[in-house]
């Protein structure tokens, strides 16, 4: 899972994204839960996914869904104690 916030120049629009590769054939969608608890579901295309949204947000969980919308696999962002996510 990869993710980053855009907008290197102060005048650039700010965006956030999560992307990755999918190695399980039964995963057809990926659901991202962002730090503000908003969820976004995207299709797996060519064994990869990309979730993009306006604003600066970190992802909290990424879940792989099968055709029946069942969670097959999931990953939760874990931050070491005392560390913070940098904007």
């Amino acid at each position: 899972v990869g993710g980053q916030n855009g907008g290197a120049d102060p005048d650039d629009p700010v965006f956030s994204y999560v992307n990755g590769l999918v190695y399980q054939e039964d995963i057809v969608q990926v659901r991202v839960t962002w730090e503000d608890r908003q969820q976004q579901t995207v299709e797996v295309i060519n064994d990869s996914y990309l979730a993009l949204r306006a604003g600066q947000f970190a992802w909290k969980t990424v879940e792989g869904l099968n055709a029946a919308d069942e969670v097959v696999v999931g990953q939760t962002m874990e931050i070491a104690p005392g560390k913070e996510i940098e904007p």
Side-chain angles (χ1 to χ4, degrees):
V1 175
Q4 186 169 327
N5 298 319
D9 185 286
D11 295 328
D12 288 346
V14 177
F15 65 92
S16 301
Y17 72 88
V18 178
N19 67 309
L21 296 175
V22 176
Y23 298 104
Q24 289 180 239
E25 289 184 20
D26 57 334
I27 297 175
V28 296
Q29 292 184 320
V30 172
R31 180 172 55 215
V32 177
T33 303
W34 299 93
E35 66 181 329
D36 63 351
R37 297 190 177 139
Q38 198 171 74
Q39 290 187 326
Q40 182 179 11
T41 302
V42 296
E43 287 184 63
V44 172
I45 300 172
N46 295 328
D47 300 327
S48 64
Y49 67 91
L50 173 64
L52 179 71
R53 69 178 285 197
Q56 190 168 5
F57 299 96
W59 63 273
K60 288 295 183 186
T61 61
V62 175
E63 299 169 304
L65 308 175
N66 63 17
D69 286 334
E70 299 168 326
V71 176
V72 176
V73 65
Q75 182 174 352
T76 301
M77 179 183 280
E78 300 288 335
I79 303 299
K83 298 248 179 176
E84 294 183 17
I85 297 173
E86 293 184 24

